[in-house]
Amino acid sequence: GEDVEQSLFLSVREGDSSVINCTYTDSSSTYLYWYKQEPGAGLQLLTYIFSNMDMKQDQRLTVLLNKKDKHLSLRIADTQTGDSAIYFCAERRGYSTLTFGKGTMLLVSP
Amino acid sequence: GAVVSQHPSRVICKSGTSVKIECRSLDFQATTMFWYRQFPKQSLMLMATSNEGSKATYEQGVEKDKFLINHASLTLSTLTVTSAHPEDSSFYICSATPIREFYGYTFGSGTRLTVV
């Protein structure tokens, strides 16, 4: 199976909170990331969390990490239509490259 | 912050021709750059790790003779798709991270390759 798994689709209304979930399998992951990809564009790093942290908040974004369950989530408060995009969860093992999930398409309706 | 520039953003080429894609780190040096391929509605697949001054490390199943990687300086890596075929049509993205930083990979804006 996939090393990093995400649900494929999430639909929310503007102003609501969005929660995108991710599970990973490698307990030796050092950093975990959330990237945003808009249509036809590259990936934009939204935030990251070190594996010894439980939570990280950055403006509207809150990342929660449950290392025991190998579960990562991204909460977007007050979701806006401009937040509509694909969100990728990724893990990094040591100082090597990233392993990505398949991405969650977030659709925000007015 | 760290910026990675990738060119061209779109390219259409004929079957059998070669296409070169450039990836530049604009405000930092990168001893290592990564090349990914993304299929429609799928995640990024790592193709190879580009190492400055040495040979690239290719992932299993990636043809090194078809996808030539050159990392001639600390700010430039190129990916050349040789003898392109329609099945090579895809979205190619590079990424890099500044030396001494162990987080925050920065991605280029991607190149949409269409082989006709």
Side-chain angles (χ1 to χ4, degrees), chain A residues 6 20 31-38 42-48 61 63 72 74 76 83 85-92 97-101 103-104, chain B residues 34 36 44 93-97 103-108:
Chain A
Q6 305 176 233
I20 303 172
Y31 287 93
L32 295 129
Y33 304 83
W34 284 103
Y35 283 88
K36 177 183 180 182
Q37 185 180 33
E38 298 182 3
L43 272 69
Q44 173 195 354
L45 176 65
L46 287 178
T47 187
Y48 65 93
L61 305 179
V63 179
L72 181 74
L74 172 69
I76 305 173
D83 295 325
I86 299 176
Y87 291 80
F88 289 95
C89 166
E91 64 171 345
R92 179 175 183 179
T97 186
L98 305 179
T99 301
F100 287 87
T104 299
Chain B
F34 303 94
Y36 294 85
L44 282 75
I93 309 177
C94 69
S95 77
T97 189
Y103 52 84
Y105 286 86
T106 300
F107 283 79

Side-chain angles (χ1 to χ4, degrees), chain B residues 18-111:
Chain B
S18 295
V19 174
K20 180 184 285 188
I21 303 170
E22 290 189 350
C23 180
R24 292 181 185 272
S25 55
L26 296 187
D27 50 1
F28 66 97
Q29 293 182 328
T31 54
T32 303
M33 293 185 177
F34 303 94
W35 287 97
Y36 294 85
R37 182 173 179 177
Q38 186 179 30
F39 294 96
K41 297 183 180 179
Q42 292 195 25
S43 187
L44 282 75
M45 180 192 78
L46 178 67
M47 298 174 66
T49 302
S50 172
N51 304 299
E52 187 267 336
S54 65
K55 291 183 179 179
T57 304
Y58 290 83
E59 295 299 303
Q60 192 172 8
V62 177
E63 299 175 61
K64 58 183 69 175
D65 293 331
K66 165 166 271 300
F67 299 100
L68 299 179
I69 291 173
N70 183 283
H71 194 151
S73 76
L74 285 171
T75 60
L76 174 64
S77 175
T78 60
L79 168 68
T80 302
V81 182
T82 62
S83 186
H85 291 285
E87 56 265 31
D88 298 325
S89 298
S90 193
F91 193 59
Y92 294 88
I93 309 177
C94 69
S95 77
T97 189
I99 299 172
R100 299 192 186 91
E101 288 195 24
F102 304 121
Y103 52 84
Y105 286 86
T106 300
F107 283 79
S109 55
T111 298

Side-chain angles (χ1 to χ4, degrees), chain A residues 10 12-19 36 57-62 74-84 87 106-110:
Chain A
L10 176 65
V12 300
R13 288 189 178 273
E14 194 172 22
D16 289 348
S17 292
S18 306
V19 179
K36 177 183 180 182
Q57 187 164 5
D58 184 5
Q59 299 181 330
R60 292 191 298 125
L61 305 179
T62 302
L74 172 69
R75 178 178 181 271
I76 305 173
D78 188 24
T79 313
Q80 303 297 306
T81 54
D83 295 325
S84 293
Y87 291 80
L106 174 64
L107 180 63
V108 183
S109 54

